[in-house]
Amino acid sequence: MKYLTEYRDPQQVSEVLKQLASIVTREWTLMEVCGGQTHSLVRNGLLDMLPSRITMVHGPGCPVCVTPASILDEAVALAMRPDVILCSFGDMLRVPGTEKSLLQAKAEGADVRILYSPLEAVRLAVENPSRQVVFLAVGFETTAPANALSVIQASKLGISNYSILASHVLVPPAMEAILADPDCVVDGFLAAGHVCAIMGTDEYGPIAEKYRVPIVVTGFEPLDLVQGIYMTVAQLEKGEHRVENQYARSVQRTGNTMAMGSIREVFTVSDRSWRGLGLIPNSGHEVKEQYAAYNARLRFGLSTTAVENDGGCISGQIMKGLKKPRQCPFFGTSCKPEHPMGAPMVSSEGACAAYFQYAAESAISE
Amino acid sequence: MCLAIPGKLISITVQLDDTFRQGKVSFGGVVKEVNLFLVPEARVGDYVLVHVGVAISVIDEEEAERTFYYLQQMGEVANEIPD
Ligand code: SF4
């Protein structure tokens, strides 16, 4: 097994789809939480292959999309300082801040670097002792352990020129915010497989119970996705609402204890503003006091107050499943990947960019 | 962004301090240096799931087989799964 190609077999995908069609008796709306799943569903044309009574809506699980403009503004302000090397995952560079993106700051001479891993930023700090290296630490529970590990490594190495600008978000509070909305349209969830690889599945039981929704932890390959959808619909058709795990090859119920330990070591749960969704209590991470020296906000005395103004972008309604990207008046006209108005048009895991990129190849049904 | 890719752990290169435990992981022939702190149980030959340079989980072969068995039960999988 290679754990990849086996899950892309079109023959098996179509057989699961046939089974799915045979059990659907009414309309259901499912939300895939993770942007990676959105990307895979759209890229593989799966949305067109599903039975017409099943509607997929695309959740808030793209960290790039939900990072508020205020944090981009902080990152831009840091990047403009001559003593700072601002590092980030590549996806973040084109996300619009209030005035400019990191890419624009870079064009104006800021030292902005794209890294694959936060651990590379620690190395960069070692190599550049006279500069301050700041890592823009975005991400869900999947990415938090790696970002935490960078702080732990820096602390062990006794490095004093490394810090992170934490912008972590947590999935379960966002799912609750969506479910608690009186306009909620979601009948069942595909939970984000890699978030659960870290955190396990126990957090979802109370949510499934309280809102009476099935939650199926699902992987990212075509076969994973159609199987996850099948399992969710099978529960819905039977009137059940349990947590199930389609992605057991990578997700244990108890999660990864080392990873959770690293998160707890460095971060504490805090309120967080989500672009499009607003403030959600206890939905993010901030660096613990014990590691204050590695908190860029404290080190550089940043203030976090900014007015969020997305100029008409309806990403919040899209992430709640109330609208589809094509229902946005700006989609494909004034908002395109080259000049995004909102973050979901930036990252290939944002619903708007995913629809835009693959619309030409497959006529995506509304 | 939460993309994590399975690859085969082919050697362990740094062992000294657990925080810095590293290994070489092959992604279909492309070999990368990966941090192994979060997967102390990982052994050479295991498939690990790698996210932003850090292995976050060891892929469970039995569970993977079970997924296919389940599909077979549904009457789905006609052919043997190639290794
Ligand atoms: S198309 Fe652009 S403006 Fe409209 S919701 Fe998507 S990102 Fe926002």
Side-chain angles (χ1 to χ4, degrees):
Chain A
M1 281 219 183
K2 302 287 179 289
Y3 303 106
L4 220 48
T5 41
E6 301 91 336
Y7 298 92
R8 293 178 179 167
D9 180 359
Q11 177 68 34
Q12 286 184 37
V13 167
S14 74
E15 300 212 2
V16 177
L17 285 169
K18 251 184 260 162
Q19 290 287 322
L20 175 61
S22 74
I23 61 164
V24 185
T25 64
R26 46 157 288 190
E27 310 235 323
W28 300 112
T29 298
L30 312 189
M31 174 178 276
E32 83 280 1
V33 171
C34 175
Q37 294 168 327
T38 306
H39 181 85
S40 183
L41 280 171
V42 176
R43 186 192 52 207
N44 291 299
L46 295 173
L47 296 182
D48 289 335
M49 297 184 215
L50 292 174
S52 60
R53 285 198 271 201
I54 295 176
T55 304
M56 297 304 296
V57 291
H58 316 300
C62 161
V64 178
C65 303
V66 300
T67 301
S70 56
I71 289 180
L72 262 308
D73 292 348
E74 291 178 320
V76 167
L78 287 175
M80 296 309 283
R81 292 174 58 123
D83 57 333
V84 166
I85 303 175
L86 195 285
C87 312
S88 161
F89 297 125
D91 283 0
M92 293 305 298
L93 260 65
R94 281 187 302 120
V95 181
T98 308
E99 273 175 23
K100 60 181 100 164
S101 65
L102 283 169
L103 197 61
Q104 286 162 313
K106 189 174 164 70
E108 290 170 23
D111 194 347
V112 177
R113 305 201 193 173
I114 297 174
L115 299 183
Y116 160 68
S117 167
L119 303 183
E120 291 174 357
V122 178
R123 208 173 312 142
L124 204 59
V126 174
E127 290 162 4
N128 295 272
S130 63
R131 306 280 303 277
Q132 286 289 333
V133 174
V134 181
F135 189 75
L136 173 53
V138 299
F140 280 100
E141 292 92 329
T142 318
T143 317
N147 291 339
L149 191 54
S150 78
V151 170
I152 296 170
Q153 284 196 351
S155 148
K156 284 204 174 176
L157 293 169
I159 296 175
S160 58
N161 63 329
Y162 178 68
S163 58
I164 64 172
L165 185 57
S167 175
H168 289 143
V169 273
L170 305 174
V171 164
M175 282 168 70
E176 283 226 55
I178 288 164
L179 287 164
D181 191 313
D183 296 327
C184 176
V185 295
V186 180
D187 298 309
F189 277 101
L190 306 188
H194 293 148
V195 166
C196 297
I198 303 293
M199 302 302 291
T201 61
D202 285 347
E203 294 180 285
Y204 298 96
I207 300 177
E209 193 50 48
K210 180 170 173 192
Y211 297 95
R212 308 183 66 79
V213 284
I215 300 177
V216 177
V217 176
T218 303
F220 297 78
E221 298 302 328
L223 196 52
D224 291 321
L225 287 160
V226 291
Q227 195 185 1
I229 292 168
Y230 176 91
M231 289 164 79
T232 313
V233 170
Q235 281 198 48
L236 286 168
E237 290 285 343
K238 285 187 238 150
E240 295 172 353
H241 49 88
R242 284 176 290 117
V243 177
E244 279 186 292
N245 185 3
Q246 180 278 328
Y247 201 37
R249 67 183 182 278
S250 299
V251 173
Q252 294 178 18
R253 189 183 63 77
T254 48
N256 179 329
T257 45
M258 288 298 283
M260 286 191 279
S262 307
I263 295 175
R264 272 196 306 272
E265 169 73 17
V266 176
F267 298 117
T268 169
V269 172
S270 67
D271 297 348
R272 186 62 80 199
S273 250
W274 296 53
R275 191 171 208 146
L277 298 178
L279 185 91
I280 304 177
N282 299 318
S283 69
H285 282 139
E286 192 48 88
V287 179
K288 268 188 179 171
E289 224 174 278
Q290 187 191 339
Y291 288 98
Y294 300 94
N295 183 344
R297 278 194 187 91
L298 298 179
R299 172 171 301 208
F300 298 96
L302 299 173
S303 74
T304 50
T305 44
V307 185
E308 298 296 333
N309 175 8
D310 265 347
C313 169
I314 58 160
S315 68
Q317 282 166 282
I318 290 174
M319 289 185 290
K320 286 180 184 166
L322 303 175
K323 289 250 167 83
K324 291 278 192 153
R326 286 181 170 185
Q327 291 172 292
C328 173
F330 307 112
F331 179 85
T333 55
S334 37
C335 185
K336 288 182 180 177
E338 310 88 74
H339 44 86
M341 284 175 61
M345 193 52 101
V346 172
S347 161
S348 63
E349 295 179 6
C352 300
Y355 273 63
F356 188 86
Q357 279 173 357
Y358 298 104
E361 292 153 43
S362 67
I364 293 159
S365 52
E366 292 294 334
Chain B
M1 238 225 66
C2 288
L3 187 69
I5 300 173
K8 191 175 192 168
L9 182 58
I10 52 175
S11 66
I12 292 176
T13 50
V14 180
Q15 190 66 286
L16 294 172
D17 174 328
D18 285 347
T19 323
F20 298 91
R21 184 170 182 251
Q22 279 191 185
K24 286 197 191 306
V25 174
S26 166
F27 302 93
V30 180
V31 176
K32 283 204 161 197
E33 201 61 48
V34 165
N35 183 288
L36 301 173
F37 176 57
L38 303 179
V39 288
E41 73 277 28
R43 298 286 166 262
V44 169
D46 285 347
Y47 274 81
V48 290
L49 198 56
V50 178
H51 172 67
V52 299
V54 178
I56 59 169
S57 130
V58 177
I59 296 175
D60 186 327
E61 208 169 323
E62 272 174 37
E63 287 292 357
E65 305 274 345
R66 255 225 286 271
T67 302
F68 282 102
Y69 178 72
Y70 172 84
L71 290 166
Q72 248 159 359
Q73 293 294 92
M74 282 168 68
E76 306 307 327
V77 183
N79 308 315
E80 285 280 303
I81 308 306
D83 190 49

